């Protein structure tokens, strides 16, 4: 038998004759992914010529003609009103960074199956081979007739803000950047319950967010919308404050509605006396900075796989600890939000997802915990079957109240 050679630039194994052993022969992750994680399945039978004549020609022509005469019928007689495009350019994939569109596909497939599993929503992964804002916007606009909503995914900041804004302006279907808003919704839900556990109101809390990217900006906006006492955001150069001359337009806007206390200096400086730490940046927060927070503080360290504050350290000083990991209690996981948000928006054929719909999703998510509230249970599990129906109903009702529902 030829000796085995491991190629240091590949996960595959090769023998001396040059034959490659399949990756999934020794790695269960690759075994699960072989052939992809999803497929298209028909919802009607095509067993004989009669079925064929109804599902395709000549019968389909009658449906096409009806839609051409009454375009809104597309929502009743195609899958458009129940399917979401999951769109990325591969520039900010998980913790891997800019790995490109093809390498992003396993994540986009995963997102699509989570839509189906947790919200009953069909989704199609679309990885675009372009990164220019204009190109992405124009491409998605041209694809939009096939979909009832657009979930933007893993697009790097600050381009993601402009892409979402421009698509919202041009399309009459929901456009939602999950890295921003999904994270913000779940964070707010957990924070509401942490405050309830400590018999405080959100308005009594001062929060500090580490990270001024997509998630950090969205969380700050949502906390302000929800009535947080104060919130400061820190990037690599310190607290985002109006006095800084190096701010991007997005960060300058951020400085305008955060940091009422006028804090300056480092993240560690801002944490002194703070009630809440929210980490969406990676890196490590020194233990002494965590120790300087107010008594009964909350630490939501959500970087993966390494939280900004390890739970063992956080528990020394904080009353409630949350992470982005599934192996610790209180996982801040976007899957708690986006399936139900889109299910609710699609249910009423909403033209957009409003701030009120996102707040309603957070409130519904928090309410699922109910009387079981505890320090290690401020947010439900993604596998709690009550989550998606509760979020869906709340979002649909909020859409109707906001006047963005079409049915």
């Amino acid at each position: 038998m030829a000796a085995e050679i491991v190629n240091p630039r590949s996960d595959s194994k090769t023998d001396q004759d040059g034959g490659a052993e399949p990756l999934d022969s020794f790695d269960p992750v690759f075994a699960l992914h072989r052939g992809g994680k999803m497929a298209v399945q028909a919802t009607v039978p095509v067993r004989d010529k009669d079925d064929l004549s109804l599902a395709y020609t000549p019968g389909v022509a009658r449906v096409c003609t009806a839609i051409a005469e009454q375009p809104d019928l597309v929502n009743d007689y195609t899958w458009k009103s129940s399917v979401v495009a999951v769109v990325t350019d591969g520039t900010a994939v998980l913790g891997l960074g800019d790995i490109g569109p093809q390498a992003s596909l396993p994540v986009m497939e995963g997102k699509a199956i989570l839509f189906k599993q947790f919200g009953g929503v069909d989704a199609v992964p679309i990885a675009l081979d372009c990164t220019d804002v204009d190109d992405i916007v124009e491409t998605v606009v041209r694809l939009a007739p096939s979909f009832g909503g657009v979930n933007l995914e893993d697009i790097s900041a600050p381009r993601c803000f402009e892409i979402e804004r421009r698509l919202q302006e041009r399309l009459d279907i929901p456009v939602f950047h999950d890295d921003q808003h999904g994270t913000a919704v779940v964070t707010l839900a957990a924070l509401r319950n942490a405050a309830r556990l400590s018999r405080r109101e959100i308005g009594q809390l001062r929060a500090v967010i580490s990270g001024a990217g997509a998630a950090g900006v969205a969380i700050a906006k949502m906390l302000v919308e929800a009535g947080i006492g104060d919130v400061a955001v820190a990037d690599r150069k310190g607290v985002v404050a109006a006095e800084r001359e190096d701010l991007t337009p997005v960060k300058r806007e951020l400085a305008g509605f955060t940091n009422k206390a006028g804090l300056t200096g480092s993240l560690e400086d801002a944490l002194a006396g703070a009630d809440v730490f929210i980490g969406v940046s990676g890196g490590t927060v020194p233990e002494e900075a965590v120790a300087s927070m107010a008594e009964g503080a909350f630490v939501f360290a959500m970087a993966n796989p390494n939280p900004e504050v390890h739970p063992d350290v956080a528990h020394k000083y904080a009353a409630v600890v949350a992470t982005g990991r599934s192996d610790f209690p209180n996982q801040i996981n976007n899957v708690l939000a986006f399936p139900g948000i889109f299910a609710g928006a699609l249910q009423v054929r909403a033209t957009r997802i409003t701030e009120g719909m996102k707040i309603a999703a957070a409130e519904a998510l928090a309410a699922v915990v109910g009387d079981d509230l505890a320090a290690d249970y401020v947010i439900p599990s993604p596998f709690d079957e009550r989550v998606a129906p509760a979020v869906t109903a709340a979002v649909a009702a909020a859409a109707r109240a906001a006047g963005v529902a079409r049915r």
Side-chain angles (χ1 to χ4, degrees):
M1 179 181 295
E4 180 182 79
I5 300 172
V6 177
N7 182 346
R9 299 183 63 185
S10 170
D11 287 331
S12 63
K13 297 179 180 180
T14 307
D15 62 29
Q16 285 185 334
D17 297 325
E21 183 179 352
L23 291 165
D24 52 6
S25 67
F26 59 93
D27 189 325
V29 171
F30 281 89
L32 182 143
H33 282 77
R34 177 169 284 279
K37 300 191 292 290
M38 58 185 294
V40 174
Q41 180 177 337
T43 60
V44 297
V46 186
R47 299 162 299 195
D48 51 38
K49 66 182 180 63
D50 291 333
D51 288 345
L52 185 60
S53 70
L54 292 173
Y56 199 52
T57 186
V60 73
R62 292 169 56 192
V63 180
C64 294
T65 301
I67 294 171
E69 294 172 352
Q70 300 180 59
D72 285 348
L73 291 179
V74 70
N75 294 300
D76 297 311
Y77 295 104
T78 73
W79 77 339
K80 175 182 170 70
S81 64
S82 61
V83 67
V84 170
V86 180
V87 179
T88 189
D89 64 356
T91 56
V93 181
L94 297 178
L96 304 174
D98 186 354
I99 60 174
Q102 292 190 107
S104 76
L105 268 177
V107 178
M108 300 310 115
E109 287 184 359
K111 197 78 172 190
I113 65 175
L114 295 181
F115 264 110
K116 189 66 172 180
Q117 177 71 27
F118 293 101
V121 174
D122 288 307
V124 177
I126 298 175
L128 302 179
D129 190 14
C130 58
T131 58
D132 179 77
V133 170
D134 290 339
D135 289 344
I136 292 173
V137 170
E138 292 302 323
T139 301
V140 175
V141 168
R142 282 160 173 73
L143 290 170
S146 296
F147 300 100
V150 175
N151 184 90
L152 300 173
E153 190 75 21
D154 293 347
I155 298 174
S156 64
R159 296 174 310 115
C160 60
F161 302 111
E162 184 179 357
I163 290 168
E164 183 188 46
R165 177 185 59 78
R166 287 171 56 179
L167 287 173
Q168 287 172 337
E169 291 172 353
R170 294 186 60 179
L171 299 178
D172 65 349
I173 57 175
V175 178
F176 184 84
H177 185 211
D178 186 52
D179 299 323
Q180 295 181 59
H181 311 299
T183 305
V185 166
V186 183
T187 300
L188 176 59
L191 186 58
R192 282 195 180 281
N193 276 339
R196 180 163 68 95
L197 183 67
S198 64
R199 294 185 173 85
R200 286 181 284 177
E201 300 291 332
I202 290 265
Q204 297 174 272
L205 303 176
R206 179 171 73 83
V208 177
I209 299 173
S210 174
V217 171
I219 292 169
K221 287 182 176 178
M222 185 159 284
L223 293 187
V224 170
E225 186 78 17
I228 191 80
D230 195 11
V231 56
V233 182
D235 61 12
R236 291 185 180 88
K237 297 181 179 179
V239 174
V240 175
E243 294 79 12
R244 281 178 47 181
E245 297 181 356
D246 60 341
L247 300 180
T248 65
V250 170
K251 291 180 182 180
R252 188 158 300 284
E253 179 188 358
L254 180 65
F257 64 85
T258 60
N259 194 19
K260 292 187 292 187
L263 300 176
T264 58
S266 67
L267 168 71
E268 292 79 6
D269 294 333
L271 280 175
D275 302 293
V276 185
F277 167 75
I278 297 171
V280 284
S281 65
T284 301
V285 177
E287 181 172 345
E288 54 267 28
V290 181
S292 75
M293 296 177 68
E295 184 177 354
F298 314 141
V299 171
F300 294 179
M302 299 187 288
N304 266 316
N306 300 311
E308 294 88 349
V309 183
H310 193 279
D312 292 344
V313 173
H315 278 298
K316 295 181 184 179
Y317 311 102
V320 176
V321 177
T323 72
R325 288 173 46 157
S326 60
D327 54 346
F328 292 109
N330 297 326
Q331 184 189 18
I332 307 295
N333 190 329
N334 288 11
V335 77
L336 289 163
F338 68 81
I341 289 174
F342 267 101
L346 295 175
Q347 184 181 96
V348 298
R349 294 182 189 165
T351 57
R352 61 192 301 265
I353 294 173
T354 67
E355 289 300 316
M357 292 161 71
K358 289 181 279 188
I359 295 287
E363 291 174 346
L365 184 54
V368 169
V369 170
D371 295 336
D372 295 324
L373 181 65
D376 61 354
Y377 184 57
V378 297
I379 198 74
S381 163
F383 297 99
D384 189 323
E385 295 182 354
R386 299 171 296 170
V387 168
V391 173
T392 298
V395 169
R400 291 191 176 104
V404 296
R406 285 179 281 204
R407 72 170 185 179

